[in-house]
């Protein structure tokens, strides 16, 4: 995820949330804005509706009249979103949208069954040799001693100055060693 990508809230006319989301998705594709507008979301929740004595589960909007958008705000992306039919504006000041706090985003995404950052999965095993691709141990070889799937990290031993030094790196910072 790019460093400037943040989640913002767009205010829409009530009932226009889906239309705004579809229009924005089409604009992103047709205008090649995939690098500045990432994900668009209308948080939904299940609600039990009882009608004529029958229970049924229906999807309800968590924030009616609002759409969440993960984007990098620049003049072009701001203009595109602002001028989408059904959009009344960003939540924030008139000239500068205010991004959601990362904790708020994580909570909302969790309720939607979405990870805030896509999890990286790597198929390595304890005892296997991997090459560290970035960070202070870049280009060093390490023998994997522990894998933490939950955090997406690997602990390993790097041979430095004739000694084994323990390191912990993210999945994205390693690649399988060349056999």
């Amino acid at each position: 995820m790019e460093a400037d990508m943040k989640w913002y809230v767009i205010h829409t006319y009530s009932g226009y949330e889906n239309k705004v989301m579809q229009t924005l998705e089409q604009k992103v594709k047709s205008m090649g804005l995939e690098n500045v507008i990432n994900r668009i979301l209308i948080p939904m929740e299940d609600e039990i509706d009882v009608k004529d004595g029958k229970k049924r589960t229906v999807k309800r909007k968590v924030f009616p009249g609002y759409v969440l958008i993960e984007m990098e705000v620049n003049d072009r992306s701001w203009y595109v979103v602002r001028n989408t039919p059904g959009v009344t504006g960003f939540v924030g000041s008139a000239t500068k949208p205010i991004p959601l706090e990362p904790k708020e985003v994580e909570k909302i995404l969790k309720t939607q069954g979405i990870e805030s950052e896509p999890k990286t999965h790597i198929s390595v095993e304890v005892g296997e040799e991997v090459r560290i691709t970035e960070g202070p141990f870049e280009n060093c070889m390490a023998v994997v001693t522990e894998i933490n799937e939950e955090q997406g990290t690997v602990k390993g031993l790097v041979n430095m100055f004739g000694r084994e030094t323990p390191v912990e790196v993210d999945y994205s910072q390693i690649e399988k060693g060349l056999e």
Side-chain angles (χ1 to χ4, degrees):
M1 189 171 77
E2 282 84 52
D4 293 339
M5 287 274 184
K6 292 191 169 86
W7 283 92
Y8 296 89
V9 181
I10 307 169
H11 191 259
T12 67
Y13 292 123
S14 193
Y16 277 74
E17 302 89 352
N18 293 352
K19 186 80 181 128
V20 165
M21 186 166 118
Q22 288 167 347
T23 306
L24 278 170
E25 285 171 345
Q26 287 168 345
K27 279 184 174 185
V28 167
K29 279 191 188 103
S30 67
M31 297 172 80
L33 294 169
E34 292 88 352
N35 59 337
V36 285
I37 297 177
N38 194 13
R39 297 183 279 180
I40 304 164
L41 177 70
I42 302 169
M44 304 290 270
E45 64 185 356
D46 287 336
E47 199 173 82
I48 307 255
D49 198 23
V50 181
K51 212 179 219 174
D52 302 326
K54 291 187 175 95
K55 280 186 187 179
R56 63 189 184 113
T57 306
V58 292
K59 292 261 182 218
R60 292 261 195 269
K61 291 178 184 83
V62 179
F63 310 112
Y66 296 95
V67 173
L68 274 55
I69 184 166
E70 185 181 27
M71 64 185 277
E72 178 186 320
V73 174
N74 59 34
D75 291 344
R76 187 166 178 223
S77 64
W78 185 87
Y79 183 85
V80 166
V81 173
R82 199 60 196 87
N83 291 291
T84 297
V87 171
T88 58
F90 280 96
V91 171
S93 69
T95 52
K96 191 166 178 9
I98 298 170
L100 287 169
E101 291 293 322
K103 282 181 182 162
E104 294 172 310
V105 172
E106 199 149 317
K107 211 162 89 179
I108 293 167
L109 292 180
K110 254 191 186 134
T111 66
Q112 301 304 297
I114 302 170
E115 293 294 327
S116 52
E117 300 246 353
K119 279 219 182 349
T120 309
H121 181 73
I122 188 159
S123 53
V124 291
E125 293 172 19
V126 171
E128 199 170 341
E129 196 170 43
V130 294
R131 189 172 78 82
I132 300 173
T133 57
E134 56 185 61
F137 298 100
E138 188 173 348
N139 292 323
C140 289
M141 298 303 286
V143 177
V144 177
T145 57
E146 196 179 310
I147 299 167
N148 187 332
E149 296 252 346
E150 191 70 25
Q151 291 181 331
T153 59
V154 170
K155 284 185 182 173
L157 294 173
V158 173
N159 197 337
M160 293 198 73
F161 311 116
R163 289 195 153 157
E164 289 191 324
T165 306
V167 295
E168 184 173 353
V169 291
D170 195 79
Y171 281 172
S172 64
Q173 297 175 298
I174 61 168
E175 64 184 21
K176 282 199 170 200
L178 303 169
E179 269 112 59

